[in-house]
Structures are given as structure tokens and as C-alpha cells.
Amino acid sequence: MMESTGKLSRKRLAGLAAAMVFLWFVWDTPVVYPIRIFVTFLHEISHGVAGVLTGGSVEKITVEPNGSGLCFVRGGWRIAVLPAGYLGSMLSGCLILILTCRTRLDKIISLVLGGGLILVTLFYVRSFFGFWMGLVLGAALAASGRWLPEDVNDSVLTLIGMASCLYAVFDIRTLFKIGVSVPNDAVMFSREILPLPPAVWAVVWGVAALVCLAAALKVALEEKRT
């Protein structure tokens, strides 16, 4: 039996708000380490997708234990490739949230995400940690979709979707903590494309993430699950 839109909206809104607060306070702790690494994979894959769509090719992807990563793209438009990590993971997170909230496809979504990560890892990931972590995370997600209850998949996907949407916002904190000593996407965009302070680009992408998250939540919460 389907719940009314109002009841579902309140329930979902409370759950998503709790997920947002939870992620904000534990993002730099081991509590959500696997989710942080998975979002890093989404971030780097998004760089690669932008490169391919603009005529380039992906040479390799690396992901490190500290949550950093690189996607080596040959060719493509740098003006599209550089911000695509944040924007792509943000859009992926919005899509995951919408599908999780509005459908009962949670187990299938986990299977697809897990299988997709395994394939990307086998073809493109070339760092030792990233390779094995990609296989482990992909297998864990696929196993969750295959054997664990829908409610478990729902909770995991909610955290992944929210984390992916907020990744750019979390990186603003990192940028202001460590400055430009670590060349993240905002620093590189400032150096290569338009020489505004990296903090400006970080804030622009962070605001874009919040706007897209708000739009995704509006879509996700206004309808019944089907």
C-alpha cells in the first residue's frame, strides 16, 4: 500500500536532514570512510566522462587512501573537464537521491552502481589502493543489492547520494583549512582557465551543489513512491 505524499515527504525530509547533519560532522572521520572513497570514485569518473564527451580519452584513474584522486585525461576541453568532478558527482548524487526516494529500485540501483564501479576499476584504475578498494566497494554494493533488504540499500544510497551532492561543499572547508598548497580542482581551474582566487571557484561550485540539492529534494519529496 502506498503512503500519502505528505506522510512520505515528512519522513523523507527528516531522514535526509539527519543524513546531511551526520555527514557534515563525521566527513573527516573513519565513520564514513567507505562512502568518502566511493564519492571520490564518482568525482574522478565524472572528470573522465567530461573528457570523453569533449573529444578526449581517459588514460587512467588513481584513488589514494587519504581520499584524494586523479583522472588522467588526454585531450578534451579543460574548461569542461576541470569542474566536472564536482558537478558530475553532484548530478550523480541528485539522481541517486531522486531514484531512491521515488522508486522501489534501491536493490537494482546498488547492483548497477556496484557493477559499474567494478568495470571502471578493471579498465581504468591503476593505483594499488584504488584498484583493490574499487573492487571491494563495488562488490560490497552489488552484494548489498543482491542479498540485503531494501531498507538497508535505501539507507546506504541516501548517504551516498547526499555525500555526492555535498562533496563540493565539503571541499570548501578543506580549501580554507589547507589553502592552495594542495592543487585541487578549484586551484587548477584558477591557474589554467580564469585566474580568480581558488576560493571563489570553490564557493561557486559549492553554491551550485546546494542549489541542485534543493532542486533534487523538491522532486524527490513531492511524489509518492511507485
Side-chain angles (χ1 to χ4, degrees):
M1 182 176 179
M2 298 177 68
E3 298 175 284
S4 68
T5 303
K7 181 178 179 181
L8 180 60
S9 295
R10 290 193 297 269
K11 177 183 177 181
R12 279 291 179 180
L13 183 59
L16 292 172
M20 182 183 297
V21 173
F22 173 74
L23 288 168
W24 181 264
F25 285 105
V26 304
W27 183 250
D28 294 319
T29 73
V31 176
V32 293
Y33 184 71
I35 291 177
R36 280 181 58 205
I37 298 300
F38 184 82
V39 172
T40 299
F41 274 107
L42 285 181
H43 180 98
E44 302 308 331
I45 290 169
S46 297
H47 283 303
V49 170
V52 171
L53 290 178
T54 55
S57 61
V58 178
E59 295 185 338
K60 67 177 180 178
I61 292 172
T62 64
V63 174
E64 304 301 335
N66 63 1
S68 65
L70 290 171
C71 180
F72 294 82
V73 178
R74 180 185 295 275
W77 301 348
R78 294 291 283 174
I79 194 171
V81 172
L82 286 174
Y86 292 121
L87 301 181
S89 60
M90 172 181 61
L91 293 175
S92 298
C94 288
L95 180 60
I96 291 170
L97 283 177
I98 290 171
L99 291 176
T100 300
C101 290
R102 292 185 59 176
T103 75
R104 296 190 182 278
L105 302 176
D106 300 354
K107 292 167 71 69
I108 294 175
I109 296 169
S110 293
L111 278 168
V112 170
L113 289 176
L117 180 56
I118 290 172
L119 289 176
V120 169
T121 299
L122 291 173
F123 281 101
Y124 294 109
V125 178
R126 294 297 176 264
S127 60
F128 180 82
F129 172 83
F131 185 83
W132 291 108
M133 197 64 173
L135 295 181
V136 169
L137 290 176
L141 264 177
S144 177
R146 175 64 178 84
W147 286 295
L148 296 183
E150 183 180 332
D151 288 347
V152 174
N153 286 277
D154 188 284
S155 297
V156 171
L157 291 173
T158 296
L159 285 174
I160 288 175
M162 188 67 71
S164 298
C165 289
L166 295 175
Y167 188 63
V169 179
F170 293 140
D171 207 53
I172 294 175
R173 298 190 307 180
T174 302
L175 184 65
F176 281 108
K177 285 180 181 178
I178 64 177
V180 299
S181 58
V182 176
N184 63 10
D185 294 339
V187 173
M188 294 175 68
F189 195 86
S190 178
R191 291 175 180 173
E192 297 183 29
I193 307 300
L194 190 60
L196 295 175
V200 171
W201 295 118
V203 170
V204 167
W205 297 337
V207 170
L210 291 176
V211 170
C212 287
L213 175 59
L217 292 179
K218 183 177 184 299
V219 174
L221 297 173
E222 67 185 4
E223 298 290 342
K224 296 177 182 179
R225 296 182 73 178
T226 59

